[in-house]
Amino acid sequence: MTTRTMSRPIEATMTDPSLGLPTITMATPMPGFPAHREFVLVRLNDDGLLYALTSIDNPELRFLVAPPEPFFPEYAPEIDEAVFAALNTKDPDRVLLLAVITAGQDETTANLLAPIVVDRDSMRAQQVVLTGSGYPVRAIMNRAF
């Protein structure tokens, strides 16, 4: 069974440095980074549209991420129930979707095929490959930062 999930705004409690940066624990490591399971989400701009998912063990390891909704308003992937179970999700409306961003010289793209799903309550996350969804790995972002 799957649940269609819309992106939701990132809450201040996840990113406000005065409150501390809570640790986001990957339920399964991101592909290619098996030794890195704990990250913090660091806001990079005042609009709250761009973040660095930064490894606690190696702060030089950062993934540029953004909530997809401001850039792709129709993006509503179906997330498998097994992902919610791995994240200890009790309410699918409490998940946050983040797209990994690749900033290039000529264009900036978002990986919509493999979003990072974060449970706001358990602070567990998992990068999920949406096999068969038709979402692109490199969707051109149309909004300027």
Side-chain angles (χ1 to χ4, degrees):
M1 184 172 170
T2 60
T3 301
R4 187 164 297 276
T5 306
M6 293 293 294
S7 180
R8 304 227 180 347
I10 297 175
E11 296 170 357
T13 56
M14 290 187 74
T15 60
D16 185 348
S18 68
L19 300 175
L21 294 172
T23 300
I24 297 172
T25 302
M26 300 302 285
T28 56
M30 293 176 69
F33 300 93
H36 300 278
R37 294 182 81 105
E38 294 188 332
F39 293 82
V40 292
L41 194 60
V42 180
R43 182 186 301 209
L44 297 178
N45 69 351
D46 292 335
D47 296 333
L49 295 178
L50 196 58
Y51 296 83
L53 186 64
T54 305
S55 170
I56 289 176
D57 294 328
N58 179 3
E60 291 183 13
L61 176 63
R62 298 181 295 261
F63 297 94
L64 188 59
V65 296
E69 186 175 59
F71 307 96
F72 306 98
E74 303 300 317
Y75 184 66
E78 291 185 9
I79 306 297
D80 193 83
E81 295 296 327
V83 173
F84 294 132
L87 301 181
N88 299 326
T89 300
K90 298 186 180 17
D91 181 359
D93 287 337
R94 296 284 301 148
V95 298
L96 167 69
L97 296 179
L98 296 171
V100 177
I101 307 301
T102 301
Q105 187 171 356
D106 297 324
E107 65 185 15
T108 299
T109 61
N111 181 348
L112 298 182
L113 181 63
I116 298 171
V117 181
V118 182
D119 182 285
R120 297 173 199 245
D121 296 320
S122 69
M123 297 307 292
R124 290 174 56 87
Q126 183 173 350
Q127 187 172 30
V128 179
V129 178
L130 304 171
T131 305
S133 68
Y135 286 116
V137 173
R138 292 182 184 91
I140 297 173
M141 298 180 73
N142 296 318
R143 183 173 173 167
F145 290 101

